[in-house]
């Protein structure tokens, strides 16, 4: 009868609750509550800087707060809930831990407002957050549910803290959800749950997080009947608790070696559901005992194997990838390391499968290492405009070392004058080209005296362009050696002539032309003195170093200067026109007077204001007649003899003309 009374009292209690709380409509009516669990719970949410990482179209923090709200919506209204967050206010503060909702009946609106204001900023004080959360629970204990995407960053041991809290409060349970952890971190985070008497679940997705929270929020063990133990006839068999997932280390190997780079792991259970996916050389998913299929994918291959998880501590499984490990290296030439060269740019590697394998790629470094599906491949390396190729055969489980030889040699180009002991030392005006016959492979250097090129062995044409001249030589380049190619710069020849002006005949009398030829800038900045210095000669011919020369012609009082550029081997002829006139003067006495014995002639150039200069441009003594060359223009000629007689005359001189005037002495 006691069993009947107990059942009757429970039915009356349910009826009274229904009358006091009629069914709701809308969201609350459609809400499916989690299995009844009324113990107090503190939710601890990681809002550290790493929670700002992207997770699909949202951040980890956005996904976590959305899932947390959805989970809290499934809690019974009378279940005491508190919410704690850390790392959301300050970047480098290990004390940044805040109670967002104090322990009490679920206030979903308040919790929603607190969660929406969180920003991922700071550190991960797991130890402090656990102690803070435990302080919110009653002495009888309760549940702490920690959601974190990283390990402790505040120089404390959260596992030791969890152990101490559990020892002080037997009724305390600490669960841990690892959300988006880096490879291998879950194993270290799981010890918090292990020391706190709870469960550890790892997930990489928002869906997995929701399932984990709902699993941990429900009742973990069956509790006693409110009216005391039911009779044996009414008791239902107690279901054993679900097995606790334990971290299992899965390592990808090639032969007996660890893989050189991350591999994608996908773990599915016997129903075909994916229970873990992640990347790494080894990973540590939390799995319950059973059989799993593990798919490995890397580079251009994928394989799968079956693993039986036993649940033993520190369980490890090595999974063969079925690939070959290939290591590449590069040398400039036999015995010449690539570091001894000046090749610029990043290496570009190309792999072409020859036996139907999938496409693969190599990292742009000098010594890449990769895993490849077995078979043959053509390999090409391009570095600094130089290429090298090789064929490789990859075998599963084996390591292949392949070195690509660029077969480079050096060639140094220089130029100098025939017979000179040393090449020119300045590259001013020099333009070099080293060509193999293919324009795309041409190497160039500008304004360099002695360029050095690093090129594959073979025959090349070296070309020097200078001041319009082109000089060529053949270069033979051998692998690992340096060739020196010297180009002779032929001298230039220059013939000079002068005249009074355009159209006037050239000077033929050596006394009419005084020449000065000075270097301005010679090729290679060669230093040289004047080729001519006030040299009286009608038409001088010179052999000169190529470059710029300043040529000056002086005749009488007229002068002209011109800068001439001579290319190597040039044969030039230059005419300088003076823009002058040859003036002949005769001093004559008045009719019937005695001729002068000596006459002083003074020639004054006109000034801009119409007058004449006070100082003569020419002043000379002569018995009677005198001839000189003057720049075109107006002049006044004064004459005076020993008898005191004088005369003066004004004349306008035109370029290229040779006028004659007489000045009468009176």
């Amino acid at each position: 009868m006691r069993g009947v009374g107990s059942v009757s009292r429970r039915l009356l209690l349910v009826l009274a609750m229904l009358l006091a709380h009629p069914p709701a409509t809308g969201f609350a009516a459609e809400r499916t509550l989690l299995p009844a669990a009324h113990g107090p719970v503190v939710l601890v949410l990681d809002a550290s800087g790493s929670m700002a990482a992207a997770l699909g179209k949202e951040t980890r923090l956005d996904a976590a707060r959305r899932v947390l709200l959805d989970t809290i919506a499934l809690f019974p209204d009378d279940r005491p809930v508190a919410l704690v967050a850390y790392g959301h206010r300050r970047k480098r503060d290990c004390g940044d831990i805040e109670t967002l909702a104090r322990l009490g009946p679920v206030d979903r609106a308040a919790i929603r407002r607190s969660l929406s204001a969180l920003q991922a900023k700071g550190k991960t004080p797991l130890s402090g957050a656990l102690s803070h959360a435990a302080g919110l629970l009653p002495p009888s204990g309760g549940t702490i549910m920690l959601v974190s995407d990283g390990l402790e960053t505040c120089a404390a041991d959260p596992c030791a803290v969890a152990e101490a809290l559990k020892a002080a409060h037997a009724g305390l349970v600490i669960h841990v959800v690892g959300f988006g952890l880096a490879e291998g971190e879950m194993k270290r985070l799981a010890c918090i749950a292990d020391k706190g008497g709870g469960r550890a679940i790892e997930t990489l997705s928002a869906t997995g997080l929701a399932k984990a929270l709902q699993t941990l929020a429900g009742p973990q063990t069956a509790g006693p009947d409110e009216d005391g133990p039911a009779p044996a006839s009414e008791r239902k068999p107690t279901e054993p608790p679900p097995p606790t997932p334990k971290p299992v280390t899965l390592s990808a190997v090639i032969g007996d070696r660890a893989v050189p780079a991350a591999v994608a792991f996908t773990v599915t259970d016997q129903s075909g559901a994916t229970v873990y996916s992640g990347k790494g050389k080894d990973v540590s998913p939390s799995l319950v005992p059973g059989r799993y299929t593990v798919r490995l994918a890397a580079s251009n291959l994928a394989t799968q194997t079956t693993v039986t998880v036993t649940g033993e501590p520190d369980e490890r499984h090595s999974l063969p990838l079925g690939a070959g490990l290939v290591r590449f290296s590069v040398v400039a030439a036999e015995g010449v390391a690539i570091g001894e060269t000046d090749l610029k740019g990043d290496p570009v590697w190309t792999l072409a499968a020859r036996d139907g394998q999938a496409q693969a790629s190599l990292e742009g470094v000098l010594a890449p290492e990769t895993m490849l599906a077995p078979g043959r491949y053509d390999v090409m390396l391009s570095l600094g405009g130089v290429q090298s190729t090789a064929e490789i055969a990859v075998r599963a489980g084996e390591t292949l070392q392949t070195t690509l030889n660029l077969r480079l040699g050096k060639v140094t180009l220089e130029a100098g004058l025939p017979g000179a002991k040393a090449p020119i030392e300045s590259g001013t005006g020099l333009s070099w080209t080293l060509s193999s016959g293919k324009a795309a492979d041409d190497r160039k250097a500008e304004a360099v005296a002695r360029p050095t090129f690093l090129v594959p062995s073979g025959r090349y044409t070296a070309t020097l362009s200078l001041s319009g001249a082109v000089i060529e030589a053949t270069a033979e380049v051998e692998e690992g050696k340096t060739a020196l190619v010297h180009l002779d710069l032929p001298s230039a020849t220059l013939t000079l002539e002068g005249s009074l002006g355009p159209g006037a005949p050239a000077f033929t009398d050596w006394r009419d032309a005084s020449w000065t030829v000075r270097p301005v800038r010679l090729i290679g900045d060669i230093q040289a003195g004047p080729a001519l210095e006030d040299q009286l000669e009608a038409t001088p011919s010179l052999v000169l170093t190529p470059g710029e020369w300043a040529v000056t012609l002086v005749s009488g009082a007229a002068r002209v200067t011109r800068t001439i550029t001579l290319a190597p081997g040039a044969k030039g002829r230059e005419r300088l026109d003076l823009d002058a006139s040859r003036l002949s003067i005769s001093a004559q006495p008045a009719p019937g007077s005695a001729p002068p014995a000596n006459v002083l002639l003074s020639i004054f150039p006109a000034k801009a204001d119409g007058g004449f200069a006070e100082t003569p441009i020419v002043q000379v003594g002569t018995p009677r007649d005198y001839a000189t060359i003057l720049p075109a223009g107006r002049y006044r000629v004064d004459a005076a003899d020993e008898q005191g007689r004088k005369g003066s005359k004004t004349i306008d001189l035109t370029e290229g003309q040779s006028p004659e005037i007489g000045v009468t002495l009176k």
Side-chain angles (χ1 to χ4, degrees):
M1 293 300 292
R2 181 185 177 193
V4 173
S6 176
V7 172
S8 299
R9 285 195 299 273
R10 285 199 296 272
L11 289 173
L12 289 172
L13 179 60
V14 171
L15 180 60
M17 291 178 65
L18 290 172
L19 291 173
H21 302 284
T25 59
F27 173 80
E30 298 173 1
R31 183 160 55 95
T32 302
L33 299 181
L34 292 169
H38 297 275
V41 60
V42 181
L43 300 167
V44 181
L45 178 60
D46 183 349
S48 62
S50 57
M51 288 290 281
L55 184 70
K57 295 182 179 180
E58 56 187 352
T59 66
R60 290 179 187 168
L61 181 57
D62 290 335
R65 66 176 129 215
R66 172 172 58 79
V67 170
L68 207 58
L69 280 170
D70 291 344
T71 304
I72 292 173
L74 303 178
F75 281 17
D77 291 340
D78 60 347
R79 185 174 190 181
V81 175
L83 178 62
V84 172
Y86 59 80
H88 58 291
R89 294 175 296 186
R90 296 175 291 276
K91 287 188 176 182
R92 290 177 288 275
D93 186 0
C94 287
D96 185 12
I97 304 168
E98 182 183 15
T99 301
L100 301 181
R102 294 190 175 276
L103 191 66
V106 178
D107 186 348
R108 297 179 183 85
I111 291 176
R112 182 184 298 274
R113 288 192 298 272
S114 297
L115 287 174
S116 65
L118 294 180
Q119 295 182 5
K121 288 186 177 181
K123 299 180 77 67
T124 307
L126 295 182
S127 301
L130 291 173
S131 298
H132 184 98
L136 300 178
L137 292 169
S140 59
T143 301
I144 296 175
M145 294 169 55
L146 169 66
V147 177
S148 178
D149 77 333
L151 304 178
E152 173 79 49
T153 61
C154 289
D157 184 355
C159 296
V161 170
E163 185 176 21
L165 291 173
K166 180 66 175 176
H169 305 281
L172 175 66
V173 176
I174 304 175
H175 299 308
V176 176
V177 179
F179 181 39
L181 293 171
E183 127 186 28
E185 289 185 344
M186 189 61 201
K187 186 174 181 180
R188 298 168 61 186
L189 200 63
C191 75
I192 297 174
D194 187 51
K195 300 295 184 182
R199 296 177 61 186
I201 300 177
E202 181 178 16
T203 179
L204 298 175
S205 67
T207 302
L209 178 61
K211 291 180 180 178
L213 290 177
Q214 291 179 25
T215 298
L216 298 176
Q220 304 304 308
T221 59
D225 190 283
E226 293 180 359
D227 296 318
S233 60
E234 296 183 17
R235 296 177 190 169
K236 294 183 179 180
T238 302
E239 295 183 2
T244 302
K246 297 290 185 180
V248 179
T249 300
L250 304 177
S251 302
V253 296
I254 297 176
D256 58 353
R257 299 171 180 264
V259 294
V263 172
F265 289 77
T266 304
V267 183
T268 56
D269 60 19
Q270 288 182 289
S271 70
T274 299
V275 295
Y276 175 82
S277 62
K279 283 188 175 182
K281 297 180 181 179
D282 52 54
V283 296
S284 298
S286 292
L287 304 174
V288 298
R291 288 173 63 82
Y292 295 88
T293 299
V294 183
R295 186 177 186 273
L296 306 176
S299 187
N300 68 335
L301 79 163
T303 186
Q304 67 181 37
T305 185
T306 300
V307 172
T308 299
V309 175
T310 64
E312 296 295 324
D314 197 25
E315 184 173 353
R316 309 179 70 88
H317 296 271
S318 294
L319 310 179
L321 187 57
L325 177 60
V326 185
R327 295 189 174 104
F328 293 94
S329 60
V330 186
V331 296
E334 191 68 36
V336 181
I338 199 70
E340 300 177 33
T341 72
D342 58 354
L343 292 176
K344 302 295 191 298
D346 295 326
V348 177
W349 297 85
T350 303
L351 281 175
R354 301 185 61 184
D355 297 326
Q357 310 94 307
Q359 185 63 38
S361 60
L362 290 174
E363 188 180 1
V365 297
L366 286 174
E369 187 175 67
T370 191
M371 301 163 284
L372 293 174
R376 294 176 300 164
Y377 296 84
D378 289 325
V379 185
M380 183 175 75
L381 166 66
S382 179
L383 176 62
V386 181
Q387 293 182 342
S388 180
T389 60
E391 180 184 331
I392 61 173
V394 179
R395 295 179 177 84
E398 296 185 5
T399 299
L400 176 65
Q401 180 71 50
T402 299
T403 300
L404 275 75
N405 187 345
L406 297 177
R407 303 187 183 283
L408 300 180
K410 289 184 179 180
V411 57
T412 298
L413 308 180
E414 65 179 23
L417 297 174
K421 294 182 178 179
I424 57 177
E425 298 179 356
S426 171
T428 302
L430 305 184
S431 179
W432 300 91
T433 300
L434 186 68
S435 176
S436 64
K438 299 179 181 179
D441 296 335
D442 285 356
R443 309 298 177 88
K444 296 181 180 296
E446 301 291 335
V448 179
R450 300 180 80 243
T452 296
F453 298 100
L454 194 64
V455 293
S457 56
R459 171 172 287 194
Y460 295 83
T461 299
T463 303
L464 171 62
S465 298
L466 173 65
S467 302
V470 177
I471 306 163
E472 292 186 348
T474 298
E476 295 284 350
V477 181
E478 296 183 36
E479 177 184 345
K481 297 182 179 180
T482 299
L484 177 64
V485 178
H486 182 90
L487 286 77
D488 280 331
L489 300 177
S491 300
T493 60
L494 177 64
T495 299
L496 301 171
E497 63 180 24
S499 72
L500 293 175
F507 294 139
T508 57
D509 191 331
W510 60 271
R511 292 168 296 184
D512 286 338
S514 174
W515 299 94
T516 297
V517 180
R518 297 176 178 271
V520 177
R521 173 179 286 181
L522 305 181
I523 59 169
D525 289 339
I526 293 175
Q527 301 300 310
L532 293 178
E533 188 80 35
D534 296 328
Q535 176 72 32
L536 289 172
E537 189 171 351
T539 54
S541 291
L542 307 170
V543 176
L544 300 174
T545 299
E548 293 182 2
W549 293 84
V551 180
T552 300
L553 168 63
V554 176
S555 186
R559 169 188 294 265
V560 64
T561 297
R562 181 187 302 168
T563 298
I564 298 171
T565 300
L566 298 174
K571 296 181 179 180
R573 188 178 186 89
E574 294 288 334
R575 171 182 167 122
L576 277 67
D577 295 319
L578 285 169
D579 188 22
S581 176
R582 187 191 301 274
L583 176 62
S584 297
I585 304 170
S586 176
Q588 302 173 352
S593 300
N598 188 32
V599 176
L600 178 65
L601 294 176
S602 300
I603 304 174
F604 298 88
K607 298 191 300 182
D609 60 5
F612 292 93
E614 297 179 0
T615 302
I617 190 173
V618 174
Q619 191 169 55
V620 63
T622 177
R624 180 173 179 179
D625 299 328
Y626 177 73
T628 188
I629 294 175
L630 299 170
R634 168 168 285 197
Y635 296 89
R636 189 188 75 225
V637 180
D638 292 348
D641 67 0
E642 79 284 355
Q643 301 178 40
R645 293 177 294 184
K646 297 181 180 180
S648 182
K649 194 165 188 176
T650 300
I651 186 172
D652 291 313
L653 299 180
T654 303
E655 66 178 26
Q657 302 300 312
S658 299
E660 298 179 0
I661 64 171
V663 179
T664 302
L665 298 172
K666 297 181 181 178

